[in-house]
Amino acid sequence: MKQPKIAKNLKTARGKLGFSLSKAAEETGVSKAMLGQVERGESSPTIATLWKIAKGFHIPLSTLIDEGNINLEYSRQASERPLKFENSIGFKILFPYDKAIGTEMYLMSLEPEESHVSIPHDVGVIEDIVVIKGNMEILLDGVWTKFKTGDAIRFKADVEHGYRNMTNEIVEFHNIIHYKN
Amino acid sequence: MKQPKIAKNLKTARGKLGFSLSKAAEETGVSKAMLGQVERGESSPTIATLWKIAKGFHIPLSTLIDEGNINLEYSRQASERPLKFENSIGFKILFPYDKAIGTEMYLMSLEPEESHVSIPHDVGVIEDIVVIKGNMEILLDGVWTKFKTGDAIRFKADVEHGYRNMTNEIVEFHNIIHYKN
DNA sequence: ACATCTTGTGCGTTATAACGCACGATGATA
DNA sequence: TATCATCGTGCGTTATAACGCACAAGATGT
């Protein structure tokens, strides 16, 4: 696991919001000097300070601690539909998001030893997985749980979750995302 | 957004691993006294300290910052036993009808030379087919149309439609029915 | 019973997070 | 040009994170 890139994520977040350090300090209740120190990597903030920042920026806390694969722009798109898995594991769109139906469906594949962790979707989003071929694990509540061909799993996608393939065969699964209308 | 529940999450994680404070300190490189302070909510750790803990515990950092409304709720759905009714084809319920989501999902199978014609569903019902294995035909607008493994088809199910397998191999497909809410 | 080990807590010390403020640089305006 | 406002950085001070150590309580073994 890589060390969290707080400095970069904070700088990126602030930039995208178009906040000066002063404005950011005003919105978050964290001093301008401290925000600057964090961005320059001169200080490691406490979780309480990070929370104040995230709250003031109206972004998930995980956006600030994420490991650099997902930027704020991605996170912001999480509030819009459809959600794309760019630069991630292999997938094929089976049914694109349809507003009338409220779902989208993908055929996903995982190479051997490949894994992917998703940031949380909007509140209320439900995700279905149906394992088409192979043995895979799904990250639910911080625990990797095993599933095999034919298994069907429904879980809340508004928390962090992930998929991984610890076998040496390709895994394929259907991924259906239900958005609350 | 709720304040992160670091104290509770740390205590839970340590408990699940079966670590004493001493063992946890050893594994994480964070002092026993500090771990105790964090668990009792007497101190708010820096992100660097949290990262050391997560790394030492081999868990995602987000597990420690998650907001406490984690429901370890997911459902392993698929019924184990395939069902076969008279005058119908074999199927297995993957996700039963859920009013909140408005869909149901089945894994269907067609023996060689087997066919099935459905009576029309209610007005507005949409049906998705994803061919998992084999070559099949679907009756759409009075015409049998061929589809193969990997094909995904969406059609209005409020008119007559059907499925048939004119090959000598078993065909399997996912059948998702979307009811208008 | 006693000795030893383990466990979690509290305390004093050290390191650093977090702050308010001052300042130089930059840009805008009169 | 002079003035003002904004920006980000650095500094000294205060608060607290993080530590090593000691200790009381509990568990275990003889």
Side-chain angles (χ1 to χ4, degrees):
Chain A
M1 184 179 74
K2 298 197 190 98
Q3 191 158 351
K5 297 187 177 176
I6 301 288
K8 183 187 171 196
N9 290 344
L10 175 55
K11 199 174 180 97
T12 300
R14 187 169 66 83
K16 298 228 182 264
L17 290 167
F19 286 175
S20 65
L21 282 173
S22 297
K23 178 68 176 174
E26 192 180 310
E27 295 293 326
T28 62
V30 175
S31 72
K32 180 169 68 163
M34 184 55 187
L35 290 167
Q37 279 181 297
V38 174
E39 287 189 5
R40 297 190 302 277
E42 293 170 6
S43 181
S44 173
T46 63
I47 196 68
T49 297
L50 272 180
W51 178 72
K52 284 168 80 173
I53 294 171
K55 184 164 176 283
F57 282 5
H58 299 290
I59 60 176
L61 186 53
S62 57
T63 306
L64 292 175
I65 68 162
D66 229 335
E67 296 169 359
N69 294 332
I70 298 163
N71 59 31
L72 178 62
E73 184 175 353
Y74 186 83
S75 183
R76 182 175 284 179
Q77 285 174 352
S79 65
E80 297 171 306
R81 302 165 183 168
L83 184 63
K84 300 287 187 186
F85 294 88
E86 293 181 4
N87 301 319
S88 186
I89 57 178
F91 72 100
K92 171 183 170 184
I93 300 174
L94 296 178
F95 298 105
Y97 175 70
D98 182 322
K99 187 177 171 70
I101 293 176
T103 71
E104 61 196 4
M105 185 172 178
Y106 305 92
L107 170 64
M108 317 290 285
S109 64
L110 288 168
E111 299 290 332
E113 310 289 348
E114 188 174 27
S115 70
H116 171 76
V117 175
S118 294
I119 61 167
H121 292 270
D122 282 356
V123 172
V125 175
I126 303 288
E127 194 164 317
D128 296 340
I129 301 281
V130 182
V131 187
I132 303 297
K133 185 175 77 170
N135 294 285
M136 66 183 289
E137 297 177 28
I138 304 179
L139 179 64
L140 299 162
D141 189 32
V143 178
W144 288 99
T145 304
K146 296 184 182 187
F147 296 98
K148 63 184 191 301
T149 302
D151 282 346
I153 311 97
R154 173 168 285 170
F155 56 92
K156 295 183 180 181
D158 55 6
V159 294
E160 189 185 59
H161 53 283
Y163 328 104
R164 72 180 181 189
N165 171 12
M166 302 306 286
T167 73
N168 55 11
E169 312 279 350
I170 291 181
V171 165
E172 289 183 335
F173 60 99
H174 281 173
N175 184 358
I176 308 168
I177 309 182
H178 305 279
Y179 296 90
K180 207 176 188 74
N181 282 327
Chain B
M1 184 179 75
K2 297 202 189 98
Q3 190 158 351
K5 297 190 177 176
I6 300 288
K8 183 189 171 194
N9 291 343
L10 174 57
K11 200 173 178 94
T12 299
R14 185 169 67 86
K16 282 182 182 175
L17 292 166
F19 286 174
S20 64
L21 282 174
S22 298
K23 178 65 175 173
E26 192 181 310
E27 295 293 325
T28 61
V30 175
S31 72
K32 180 170 67 164
M34 184 55 186
L35 290 168
Q37 280 182 296
V38 174
E39 286 189 8
R40 296 190 301 279
E42 292 169 6
S43 181
S44 173
T46 63
I47 195 68
T49 297
L50 273 181
W51 179 73
K52 285 168 78 174
I53 294 170
K55 184 164 174 283
F57 281 4
H58 298 289
I59 60 175
L61 186 52
S62 57
T63 307
L64 293 174
I65 69 162
D66 227 338
E67 295 169 359
N69 56 354
I70 304 166
N71 296 322
L72 187 60
E73 276 186 16
Y74 62 89
S75 44
R76 186 188 298 256
Q77 296 279 354
S79 61
E80 287 298 322
R81 199 164 47 79
L83 304 172
K84 175 126 172 125
F85 297 144
E86 288 189 14
N87 304 319
S88 185
I89 58 179
F91 70 99
K92 177 179 170 184
I93 301 173
L94 295 179
F95 298 105
Y97 175 71
D98 181 323
K99 184 180 172 68
I101 291 175
T103 73
E104 59 196 11
M105 186 171 176
Y106 304 93
L107 171 64
M108 317 290 285
S109 63
L110 289 169
E111 299 290 333
E113 311 288 349
E114 189 173 25
S115 70
H116 171 76
V117 175
S118 293
I119 60 172
H121 290 266
D122 285 353
V123 171
V125 174
I126 304 286
E127 193 166 320
D128 295 341
I129 302 284
V130 184
V131 186
I132 303 298
K133 188 176 74 170
N135 295 283
M136 67 184 288
E137 298 177 29
I138 303 179
L139 179 63
L140 300 166
D141 294 327
V143 178
W144 289 100
T145 305
K146 293 187 180 184
F147 295 99
K148 63 184 190 305
T149 301
D151 285 346
I153 310 99
R154 173 169 284 171
F155 56 91
K156 293 182 179 178
D158 55 6
V159 295
E160 189 185 63
H161 56 279
Y163 330 104
R164 73 181 183 187
N165 172 11
M166 303 306 289
T167 73
N168 56 7
E169 310 279 352
I170 290 183
V171 166
E172 289 183 335
F173 61 99
H174 282 173
N175 185 358
I176 308 168
I177 308 180
H178 305 279
Y179 298 90
K180 205 175 187 74
N181 281 329

